[in-house]
Amino acid sequence: MTQRSTIAELDAKVAGQTAPRCFLQQAAEQPDFPLLNSMDDSGGWNRWTVAQVRELAARTAAGLLADGVTPGERVLLMMRNCPDFHWHDLGAQFVRATPVSIYNSSSPEEIEFLAGDAGARIAILEDDGFLQRMLKVRGALPLLEKIYVIHPPEGDLPEGVFPVADLMAHGEADLDALAEATQPDDLATLIYTSGTTGPPKGVMISQYNVVYTAESLWESIERPDAKGWRVISYLPMAHIAERMTSHYRSLIDGLEVYCCPDPSELTSYLREVHPQMLFGVPRVFEKIYAGVIAALSADPEKKQQFDDGVAAAIEIKRAQREGTATEEQIGTLEFLDAIAFSTVRGLVGLDELELAITGAAPLPAQVLEWFNAIGVNLAEVYGLSETSGPMTFTPARNKPGWVGQAIPGCEVAIADDGEVICRGGNVFQGYLNQPEKTAEVLVDGWFHSGDIGEMDDEGYVRIVDRKKELIITSGGKNISPANLEAALKLIPLVGQACAIGDQRKFISALLVLDPEVAPVWAADNGKAGMSLTELATDPDVIALVQEGVTEINEQFAQVEQIKKFVLIGEEWMPDSDVLTPTSKLKRRGIHARYAEQIEALYA
């Protein structure tokens, strides 16, 4: 175990640094490193070296300067996970502007709010689809002067809309001079919160926050060979986790990024890229887990053998964490890996994975232990946009059920009321134009997370729930919906779960059939061809789910147990009225969509 830097030590390490300055250092040290990759139409790869990204960022910077962009000005970016994002964002940083990424699926109304709140004058969009959405609200955005489109539609463009080639036609800016002018207190980006508890707020992340957090993550990983690791970029760039993992850390540390523009294609990219590091929200790992289990279910005998092997491996992994594993146990683990686990990792493209990270929402400890057992080093990270991503993360000494210890250079504590609070150079500068909201969460130098947690004697943190999401029954009992929901998603046929019960007499739940597992189960049980809607009303399916609910209830106190549930036969999609872009529950949206079903549970 390496010594973790204190706040003062990490502050000294990154003094005076900015992402543009760090990028130029990388460009000087390894200009030919393949920084960015994207798949072409034939299934091959287009590649951009650090030197080529430097040139393209210089062209972006020159174009923005020609447009009169000044330090502190916001530049909107709306594009999928494509290489262009990286050099346009970086070019904006070089001219000390603040690039602001908008979620790809944002509605025109959401675009209007974000663009207006940011006060953007220039936007860079990927294609006509994004352009049309922005044009619908352009009349309500008087500050928006120029819109550049990477893949413009054919024919004449509307007034003020230009092909991105026009932006890139001003030669190359002097990046060395521009980088020298950048300052640690320049804003690197605005990250807009998901708006689960109110209108989105612009989280101001500075250059200091970025380089400080990147250095902290580097120390947390404790792997000198981590530079150059292959990663897949597939989550929205508007989310701090993706921004920190595949953008800032690639600019600073030189990760090799493979751009996956459609998150639904992740499974095929895994088999193509064989990443060495993978960040995923819990749903990503739950789907991989469910897919493997469903595939094994075709042969009950083999599945039982595999499950027995996993159970044995989990015990051995626990012994390893406690330092009590025997040579015989380690030999057993190596044998299980050779005859079974390595094959599974290879089939799903995780065979070269050095580190898997899950965050943004709770992952059931059983799922995490399952991945650890089959040889996937999966660890939880905990944090928020306001902490530039991470707050706790201990991948080298993972403890399932806990989200790790404070990252280097961050002090984490539990307040008297149970709230998780922290301070350090990863903590944001405040909310854009909202000093009162800022003052609510930044108190005496401590950031108040809004999460309820616990800490053990080794400093490991466990998150209980969001303060604002605790269910208070009509009997006055406080109940954590997240813990219940995480457990309910362990039922094989269940893909999503939402606990209900605020100001109600008992706890109930909306359970969503897993769109990948349910059809496989149906085919194996004489119900092939039935739709999810039909399966949700099938007595056999309901009975099977009830068995799972009954088993889960045994883990909780009586007041927390699910008394009734309704099975839902439709998939909940990310970035919808029921899920955020990273698959967190939008409880108000869920309650609105399923108001009738919920009321029926309490009739």
Side-chain angles (χ1 to χ4, degrees), residues 199-422:
K201 300 183 289 291
V203 175
M204 297 188 290
I205 305 291
S206 69
Q207 290 287 345
Y208 172 74
N209 292 145
V210 165
V211 294
Y212 189 101
T213 305
E215 177 62 29
S216 178
L217 285 169
W218 171 251
E219 284 195 20
S220 297
I221 293 172
E222 299 183 24
R223 289 287 300 272
D225 61 341
K227 291 188 176 181
W229 276 359
R230 294 184 302 280
V231 299
I232 299 174
S233 172
Y234 67 99
L235 291 171
M237 279 297 184
H239 191 266
I240 187 60
E242 186 65 70
R243 195 70 151 271
M244 185 58 69
T245 300
S246 69
H247 182 55
Y248 296 129
R249 288 209 56 230
S250 67
L251 299 180
I252 295 169
D253 295 326
L255 300 177
E256 185 176 357
V257 178
Y258 288 77
C259 300
C260 173
D262 185 347
S264 67
E265 296 294 320
L266 175 62
T267 52
S268 63
Y269 272 70
L270 287 172
R271 291 189 291 268
E272 287 285 335
V273 176
H274 298 273
Q276 292 160 289
M277 184 168 72
L278 177 68
F279 177 87
V281 295
R283 187 65 187 138
V284 168
F285 294 103
E286 288 166 356
K287 289 180 77 169
I288 294 173
Y289 166 80
V292 171
I293 297 302
L296 290 169
S297 296
D299 187 331
E301 185 178 346
K302 282 188 176 180
K303 181 180 182 300
Q304 186 60 55
Q305 291 174 344
F306 188 86
D307 289 347
D308 291 343
V310 168
I314 286 174
E315 291 304 316
I316 296 170
K317 286 287 185 179
R318 287 174 179 168
Q320 285 183 320
R321 288 195 298 272
E322 295 167 2
T324 60
T326 65
E327 288 188 15
E328 181 181 357
Q329 285 179 308
I330 293 172
T332 298
L333 188 61
E334 291 173 348
F335 172 74
L336 290 170
D337 190 77
I339 65 166
F341 302 156
S342 60
T343 301
V344 169
R345 294 198 305 273
L347 288 173
V348 295
L350 303 182
D351 48 322
E352 296 184 39
L353 201 62
E354 300 286 349
L355 175 62
I357 309 163
T358 180
L363 178 72
Q366 295 95 318
V367 175
L368 192 146
E369 285 196 296
W370 183 88
F371 274 100
N372 288 172
I374 69 164
V376 174
N377 179 25
L378 175 60
E380 282 195 89
V381 64
Y382 164 69
L384 300 90
S385 300
E386 291 88 342
T387 58
S388 306
M391 186 192 301
T392 64
F393 184 40
T394 314
R397 290 167 305 285
N398 184 30
K399 185 184 287 189
W402 301 76
V403 294
Q405 301 160 307
I407 59 171
C410 182
E411 187 177 347
V412 177
I414 306 297
D416 291 341
D417 63 354
E419 185 174 11
V420 181
I421 61 176
C422 78

Side-chain angles (χ1 to χ4, degrees), residues 361-364 451 463-466 469-471 479-489 497-499 556 585 587:
L363 178 72
D451 288 325
I463 302 302
V464 176
D465 219 319
R466 291 290 295 171
E469 293 187 355
L470 287 173
I471 291 175
I479 292 168
S480 163
N483 289 341
L484 271 171
E485 290 154 358
L488 289 166
K489 288 194 290 183
C498 179
F556 294 90
L585 299 181
R587 297 188 189 277

Side-chain angles (χ1 to χ4, degrees), residues 409-446:
C410 182
E411 187 177 347
V412 177
I414 306 297
D416 291 341
D417 63 354
E419 185 174 11
V420 181
I421 61 176
C422 78
R423 61 184 176 186
N426 58 318
V427 174
F428 77 137
Q429 307 305 296
Y431 298 117
L432 179 69
N433 300 325
Q434 297 198 54
E436 292 182 0
K437 291 290 185 182
T438 300
E440 289 176 8
V441 298
L442 289 179
V443 183
D444 297 329
W446 289 87

